[in-house]
Amino acid sequence: MATVHLRIGDLVWGKLGRYPPWPGKVVSPPKDLKKPRGKKCFFVKFFGTEDHAWIKVEQLKPYHPHKEEMIKINKGKRFQQAVDAVEEYLKKAKGKDQSHSDDKSKSDKGRKAAKPMKIIEEDDEDAFKGGSSDKPASSMEPITKRLKIIEEDTRSTSIQAADSTAINGSITPTDKRIGFLGLGLMGSGVVSNLLKMGHVVTVWNRTAEKCDLFIQEGARLGRTPAEVVSMCDITFSCVSDPKAARDLVLGPSGVLQGIRPGKCYVEMSTVDPETITELSQVITSRGGRFLEAPVSGSQQLSNDGMLVIVAAGDRSVYEDCSSCFQAMGKTSFFIGEAGNAARMMLILNMVQGSFMATIAEGLTLAQATGQSQQTFLDILCQGQMASTFVDQKCQNILQGNFKPDYYLKHIQKDLRLAISMGDSVNHPTPMAAAANEVYKRAKALDQSDNDMSAVYRAYIH
């Protein structure tokens, strides 16, 4: 990626911990606040908040070139207030520049231009504060306090993953009791955000130790899936594959044993339509209400409360889940009868998996032909294919960082299921089939539990 050149006074998008990029301004730090050792960073004051922090240079982007991109991927009342505060600040600055320009032309035309301001002017403070004064106190706490340590390691899943109030605005949690089964890469972030938004959540996980952190933060513990369903009004499930989804419902002490008339079950796992049809039938046969709601995203987006939810099945359950979906997601879609969401999600993941394989192929071909992989990425990120996904995945590849954000074995599973779905309607899926073979090769190279970007290694071995 091209080097970021910044100076005091520049407007930027700053990424702090697991929070989404936020508009801010590079300012001079207080005299008593030392710069972190060994890290190239700038001191940034964020608009619409009281927050300020040292931000590493790789977590900063210039404001104007990335404004449209950031507005598309972020949402929420506080985010919009922050953007509005920037625009108000720019209006004030423009007015001052015009006034200064007029004064100059009258008095000292020969004087050199002033150096950039190194401190924030008093009347700039209002622009930085912004926001509404009636926000809950918890949502207005400085980000640095909520994260405890500004430069904390963001790679591990934490109950402090994201403040969904800050991301999604003020959400009133449902008074229904929520259950959640499965605390993997995706489920952990979802539960974090449900708890932060004030939902009453009971959790269960096959490996019970994973529940401990959430219990400490106020979640309740269910001993079995059946117990969770019997205790809760709405129970969500997020597991790895069709077999795990079936076992959770049909196995010993499974969901089916706890289902009673009126109980809601929401399947968030990415599985095939046939599995969804089976689960829907057995749940409703006991008087339960069923919704499928697989999610498009990654561990990072789950932590940030920025998933995209695609739901189908019982529309009334979808409506009952409104506050939950707002807490965990950027947006949600309802697309009809059960099975439709599974089909749509497999198509989405088929495209994403094929695209990732193609990007990895391009990077390795660049290297094989003597071209700079970094230059390839820089050019790519300035063109029509520029996206956060491309930037992050390619940077991880170049750094040799394949810590899972979305397991390679799971994207290969989705490709396999998508190809099978294509076969069922006699529709060709040659691109997906080719990508699937590359992922199978990567799995043979022991990359299953790495990130999907580790498909890169299939091309270099």
Side-chain angles (χ1 to χ4, degrees):
M1 180 181 283
T3 304
V4 178
H5 298 286
L6 296 171
R7 62 181 186 176
I8 301 297
D10 284 352
L11 298 179
V12 294
W13 295 97
K15 183 84 171 65
L16 179 60
R18 294 182 175 86
Y19 291 84
W22 205 265
K25 179 181 177 182
V26 178
V27 299
S28 293
K31 292 181 180 179
D32 59 347
L33 187 61
K34 293 183 180 179
K35 186 176 181 180
R37 292 183 180 178
K39 296 175 181 176
K40 187 173 182 181
C41 51
F42 293 89
F43 194 72
V44 175
K45 188 167 180 64
F46 292 99
F47 284 87
T49 76
E50 299 286 351
D51 304 327
H52 48 269
W54 287 106
I55 307 294
K56 290 184 286 187
V57 67
E58 59 265 28
Q59 300 295 337
L60 292 169
K61 290 184 177 181
Y63 178 79
H64 291 289
H66 296 275
K67 177 182 173 182
E68 187 175 341
E69 169 196 347
M70 295 304 177
I71 289 176
K72 282 182 180 179
I73 64 173
N74 293 313
K75 69 166 192 175
K77 184 177 178 182
R78 290 196 69 206
F79 177 79
Q80 187 56 55
Q81 287 173 340
V83 174
D84 290 344
V86 179
E87 298 306 313
E88 184 62 29
Y89 168 80
L90 289 171
K91 272 187 198 175
K92 280 187 178 181
K94 188 175 181 180
K96 287 179 184 178
D97 288 345
Q98 185 61 47
S99 175
H100 292 165
S101 177
D102 291 344
D103 290 342
K104 273 188 176 184
S105 65
K106 293 176 182 176
S107 60
D108 56 352
K109 290 181 180 179
R111 193 177 294 178
K112 291 184 180 180
K115 292 182 180 180
M117 293 295 293
K118 290 202 171 187
I119 57 172
I120 304 171
E121 297 181 44
E122 286 298 316
D123 57 0
D124 288 340
E125 288 294 330
D126 291 338
F128 281 111
K129 290 176 184 176
S132 170
S133 61
D134 60 355
K135 297 294 292 181
S138 60
S139 70
M140 296 300 290
E141 289 176 9
I143 291 175
T144 51
K145 287 185 180 178
R146 290 196 296 263
L147 285 179
K148 292 186 179 178
I149 302 173
I150 294 173
E151 300 291 347
E152 73 170 341
D153 183 358
T154 63
R155 294 175 298 175
S156 61
T157 300
S158 165
I159 200 69
Q160 296 174 313
D163 183 342
S164 293
T165 306
I167 298 167
N168 295 327
S170 180
I171 299 170
T172 302
T174 179
D175 58 2
K176 296 183 183 297
R177 294 163 297 179
I178 304 301
F180 206 95
L181 311 174
L183 299 173
L185 289 184
M186 306 296 278
S188 292
V190 169
V191 172
S192 294
N193 286 311
L194 288 173
L195 288 169
K196 282 189 171 291
M197 290 315 305
H199 294 84
V200 177
V201 185
T202 300
V203 296
W204 174 90
N205 192 71
R206 185 173 57 182
T207 305
E209 290 77 13
K210 285 190 176 182
C211 298
D212 293 345
L213 182 61
F214 301 98
I215 302 304
Q216 293 171 18
E217 295 297 325
R220 301 172 183 180
L221 178 64
R223 292 173 295 180
T224 65
E227 182 177 86
V228 173
V229 172
S230 65
M231 291 169 60
C232 299
D233 303 303
I234 303 172
T235 300
F236 293 87
S237 163
C238 188
V239 292
S240 59
D241 55 33
K243 182 181 184 304
R246 284 192 178 97
D247 289 348
L248 200 58
V249 173
L250 304 172
S253 301
V255 167
L256 201 58
Q257 294 184 27
I259 284 290
R260 301 289 183 273
K263 297 283 187 182
C264 301
Y265 188 66
V266 184
E267 182 56 80
M268 300 190 76
S269 314
T270 300
V271 297
D272 55 283
E274 292 75 22
T275 296
I276 290 297
T277 298
E278 180 184 356
L279 297 181
S280 176
Q281 288 175 348
V282 297
I283 294 295
T284 55
S285 70
R286 298 289 181 90
R289 300 158 62 203
F290 181 84
L291 183 76
E292 58 166 335
V295 295
S296 178
S298 61
Q299 181 188 29
Q300 184 65 60
L301 292 175
S302 176
N303 290 342
D304 290 344
M306 296 293 282
L307 296 169
V308 175
I309 300 140
V310 183
D314 189 326
R315 179 66 187 243
S316 65
V317 179
Y318 175 73
E319 292 168 355
D320 286 345
C321 292
S322 175
S323 73
C324 297
F325 289 157
Q326 288 180 64
M328 66 180 75
K330 176 181 180 180
T331 189
S332 64
F333 298 83
F334 182 82
I335 59 173
E337 65 182 19
N340 282 345
R343 296 181 185 94
M344 183 65 78
M345 192 56 59
L346 288 177
I347 295 167
L348 290 167
N349 285 358
M350 176 190 76
V351 171
Q352 181 174 252
S354 300
F355 182 53
M356 183 69 253
T358 300
I359 293 296
E361 190 170 298
L363 279 168
T364 51
L365 183 58
Q367 184 178 47
T369 55
Q371 304 306 303
S372 164
Q373 291 180 316
Q374 184 63 60
T375 302
F376 166 77
L377 174 56
D378 291 343
I379 296 170
L380 195 64
C381 287
Q382 292 300 316
Q384 291 180 318
M385 295 176 67
S387 69
T388 303
F389 176 82
V390 170
D391 188 10
Q392 290 179 344
K393 294 300 183 187
C394 289
Q395 288 292 351
N396 286 346
I397 287 173
L398 297 185
Q399 294 166 12
N401 173 21
F402 297 105
K403 186 180 185 301
D405 197 38
Y406 193 98
Y407 283 120
L408 184 141
K409 62 185 177 185
H410 288 170
I411 200 70
Q412 191 274 322
K413 173 262 298 181
D414 295 343
L415 281 164
R416 174 174 53 80
L417 293 176
I419 293 166
S420 177
M421 185 171 70
D423 290 343
S424 70
V425 293
N426 197 31
H427 184 82
T429 52
M431 300 299 105
N436 188 44
E437 293 304 314
V438 183
Y439 282 98
K440 285 162 64 176
R441 166 69 176 156
K443 286 178 67 177
L445 293 169
D446 200 27
Q447 301 301 309
S448 290
D449 292 324
N450 281 335
D451 185 68
M452 62 186 292
S453 56
V455 68
Y456 173 86
R457 289 178 169 168
Y459 290 99
I460 59 175
H461 288 86

